[in-house]
Amino acid sequence: MKHEQLVDQFDKTFSDKGSGEPDPLFLSDAEATREWSYLRMAVEGVQETGLYEQIESVKTQWMAQRTSAAEPSGAVIRNISRITMRAAACVLILAGGTAVYKYMSTSANHIYSEYTQPYDLNTSRGAAPQDEMDEAYRNKNWTAVTELYNKKKDKSNKTCFLAGMAALESRRYDDAIGMFQQVIATNTQSGGDYFEDEAEFYLAMSWLARNEVKEAMPLLDKIRADKNHLYHDVVVRMSTLDLRIAQYKELK
Amino acid sequence: MKVAGKFSDSELIAAIGEKESLNQAILFLYQQYSQSTCSFIINYGGSQQDAEDVFQETVLAFIGIVKKGSYRGEASIKTFLVSIARNVWRNELKKRQRSDFREKKFESGRDQQEDDVSELMTHLEEKKQLRELVGKLGEPCRKLLQLFYYENLSMKEIVGHLPYENEQVVRNKKYKCLQQLIAIIKENPSIALQLSEIVK
């Protein structure tokens, strides 16, 4: 039996039973049995690593959460010298100034500018056959991308997403939001997830660009909670404090 | 990260069995039991880092035991975790070849519960070595194999997660990655021999 067939049989057994129990057929073939055993070792290793990394990820977040929630110690300082008092006053003024500056300088738009990265068609989706729309996108000809999209009879999630990116780059945020929402709606209907991660991230960014943090937050929370999301790392880097400030300013 | 809900022991066992609630269960284990277990390890000569590493291995072993259906609930989860942690720490001390006062003191405190747990925690070290072998794979291969064999995603779903053009490309790549991992395992015959016990 060819090795590819053995792997296919293994995968089939794996997905059927979830355990990778050997088919009795293989027990009579020593070589196949040995290879089956190696396949199980490999998969055992992958699963063990996956679980270890999942625990590591939760642990990291838990430790960060614990550190930020840690309260200062309740020790009573009885003799504070004048110099210490002055230093403390300086720190307070600096901290206050920093807080005011932080409040003044933080906005949804600012977060958008800091974390939105151009979508690179070359590196993000393999070597797809090139077409006019791809070419126009690579040349950053946003008008052409939009025109080509409008002319296309056969619209896919990819073309819709690129049209959304063209709108975002041209600061037509409402159009961008419409396009990204369309990608997500198509996936919801079909049960697929083609360009889903990309659409979710850039939809959130489009809402931020429009200063609508309330709309962006559920998407950002979803991406942050999903460690397999393509943009998980970017969203994790976003300061929650900045987002909260921006949201507070929006509600004011 | 959301705050983990309160789980009873039986609810926690059920949550570990579900993919959707596993993160919450892990978080709950950390919130409820990491401090007491870590203090225990530190008390027996471990550093803070040792204690954190031991607790992580403890959680890993515990989830493995629960998923295999070997946790019978005869001892509370807290007691069970401490027994696992003791076993993990004992193995670590043996590896470091320390037979000083602390270890002797540690050995003298061994009880039946620990022996029972020890039987469930077979091949702990081999599994750790297996993880190290998986770590030798490149990131794209590791990610792809994890999505398929750990996250149980279909080829179609993986196309949406990774930069591959279609399902056939993913299938071919997955086959090559699996071959690569098997070759790495075969390069370590002593580990492979020990591991063959795990998958029997």
Side-chain angles (χ1 to χ4, degrees):
Chain A
M1 175 179 271
K2 278 187 174 179
H3 199 268
E4 287 94 330
Q5 287 175 308
L6 190 73
V7 172
D8 285 345
Q9 179 64 40
F10 180 85
D11 286 349
K12 190 174 178 304
T13 315
F14 175 82
S15 58
D16 287 350
K17 298 175 189 170
S19 61
E21 289 300 321
D23 192 309
L25 187 71
F26 296 123
L27 295 175
S28 54
D29 182 341
E31 178 61 21
T33 308
R34 202 169 68 91
E35 285 305 311
W36 189 278
S37 157
Y38 275 116
L39 278 169
R40 288 202 60 182
M41 277 182 218
V43 170
E44 175 91 17
V46 170
Q47 291 178 328
E48 189 80 2
T49 308
L51 180 56
Y52 185 83
E53 287 178 2
Q54 187 171 357
I55 295 169
E56 176 83 30
S57 163
V58 174
K59 174 189 159 187
T60 307
Q61 291 176 55
W62 172 75
M63 288 179 86
Q65 194 182 46
R66 197 179 54 161
T67 308
S68 65
E71 290 179 7
S73 75
V76 179
I77 301 164
R78 296 186 190 284
N79 296 313
I80 303 172
S81 71
R82 190 171 290 175
I83 294 171
T84 313
M85 291 279 278
R86 280 183 186 162
C90 287
V91 168
L92 271 175
I93 291 166
L94 270 173
T98 309
V100 170
Y101 174 77
K102 179 88 180 158
Y103 181 80
M104 297 302 286
S105 63
T106 301
S107 67
N109 227 283
H110 176 78
I111 300 169
Y112 165 77
S113 312
E114 198 174 333
Y115 293 99
T116 305
Q117 45 198 320
Y119 181 79
D120 188 345
L121 198 54
N122 290 319
T123 56
S124 297
R125 281 274 164 190
Q130 299 206 352
D131 71 6
E132 258 187 312
M133 198 167 163
D134 287 4
E135 205 53 39
Y137 185 87
R138 285 197 185 88
N139 292 331
K140 300 186 177 179
N141 187 346
W142 311 129
T143 314
V145 172
T146 307
E147 283 172 3
L148 287 165
Y149 173 77
N150 290 334
K151 281 182 200 162
K152 265 197 189 296
K153 285 179 188 164
D154 210 9
K155 293 181 167 73
S156 67
N157 274 5
K158 180 183 171 186
T159 55
C160 189
F161 173 75
L162 292 182
M165 285 308 295
L168 187 64
E169 296 281 4
S170 312
R171 301 182 182 215
R172 290 182 286 109
Y173 302 128
D174 286 346
D175 291 346
I177 287 166
M179 288 294 172
F180 298 141
Q181 283 177 330
Q182 196 174 318
V183 172
I184 294 167
T186 306
N187 281 334
T188 307
Q189 208 169 19
S190 67
D193 59 0
Y194 194 46
F195 276 88
E196 179 82 3
D197 285 5
E198 291 91 337
E200 283 178 351
F201 175 73
Y202 285 102
L203 175 58
M205 291 295 114
S206 305
W207 284 120
L208 288 179
R210 277 198 46 177
N211 269 318
E212 297 203 42
V213 191
K214 201 176 139 193
E215 298 289 345
M217 284 306 274
L219 287 159
L220 294 173
D221 286 341
K222 178 177 183 281
I223 298 170
R224 191 179 285 115
D226 178 3
K227 71 185 171 67
N228 291 319
H229 198 285
L230 280 178
Y231 293 88
H232 172 78
D233 292 348
V234 181
V235 173
V236 163
R237 282 202 303 275
M238 279 184 196
S239 159
T240 314
L241 176 65
D242 285 1
L243 284 166
R244 296 288 168 217
I245 292 173
Q247 194 171 16
Y248 176 75
K249 285 167 95 169
E250 178 195 336
L251 294 172
K252 259 184 78 178
Chain B
M1 165 169 282
K2 290 169 194 166
V3 174
K6 265 276 187 195
F7 291 107
S8 66
D9 279 8
S10 56
E11 285 169 343
L12 185 63
I13 299 304
I16 286 172
E18 297 293 327
K19 190 179 166 189
E20 294 73 24
S21 52
L22 183 56
N23 270 352
Q24 287 293 301
I26 297 169
L27 181 60
F28 183 77
L29 286 169
Y30 267 92
Q31 285 172 342
Q32 291 296 307
Y33 304 117
S34 74
Q35 203 175 356
S36 55
T37 314
C38 285
S39 304
F40 174 81
I41 297 302
I42 290 167
N43 195 33
Y44 280 100
S47 64
Q48 180 64 36
Q49 187 58 53
D50 288 333
E52 283 171 16
D53 293 345
V54 167
F55 190 69
Q56 190 168 348
E57 290 290 341
T58 300
V59 172
L60 182 69
F62 178 64
I63 293 173
I65 290 168
V66 170
K67 284 194 165 181
K68 278 185 182 166
S70 305
Y71 175 71
R72 309 238 176 270
E74 287 155 1
S76 71
I77 288 178
K78 188 178 178 181
T79 311
F80 200 75
L81 286 172
V82 170
S83 298
I84 295 176
R86 283 182 77 110
N87 273 289
V88 173
W89 184 229
R90 179 178 293 108
N91 285 342
E92 184 59 30
L93 287 175
K94 274 182 192 159
K95 216 166 69 179
R96 293 181 192 178
Q97 294 184 320
R98 282 172 53 176
S99 53
D100 58 9
F101 168 75
R102 283 197 189 94
E103 194 185 343
K104 282 171 190 160
K105 183 180 157 195
F106 195 59
E107 282 296 333
S108 67
R110 196 178 172 111
D111 57 20
Q112 182 59 43
Q113 170 69 27
E114 262 187 88
D115 291 337
D116 295 346
V117 168
S118 178
E119 281 175 27
L120 297 173
M121 293 171 59
T122 48
H123 305 290
L124 197 70
E125 191 54 36
E126 288 82 5
K127 283 183 182 177
K128 205 170 171 180
Q129 287 174 332
L130 187 53
R131 287 205 309 269
E132 284 167 10
L133 295 183
V134 175
K136 287 184 180 176
L137 279 176
E139 175 64 20
C141 265
R142 206 160 52 87
K143 181 87 181 162
L144 174 52
L145 292 178
Q146 276 183 8
L147 288 176
F148 189 78
Y149 289 113
Y150 182 65
E151 305 282 347
N152 293 326
L153 297 190
S154 66
M155 295 291 174
K156 191 182 171 191
E157 287 167 323
I158 294 174
V159 173
H161 280 78
L162 295 176
Y164 299 117
E165 190 56 28
N166 56 46
E167 290 174 49
Q168 192 52 47
V169 176
V170 174
R171 191 168 282 111
N172 294 343
K173 180 77 182 161
K174 195 217 89 186
Y175 178 73
K176 284 179 187 166
C177 291
L178 199 54
Q179 287 296 90
Q180 206 179 322
L181 179 56
I182 289 172
I184 293 172
I185 295 173
K186 284 180 177 173
E187 279 169 15
N188 293 270
S190 63
I191 298 175
L193 186 67
Q194 291 166 332
L195 288 171
S196 62
E197 293 294 316
I198 301 179
V199 296
K200 263 183 182 172

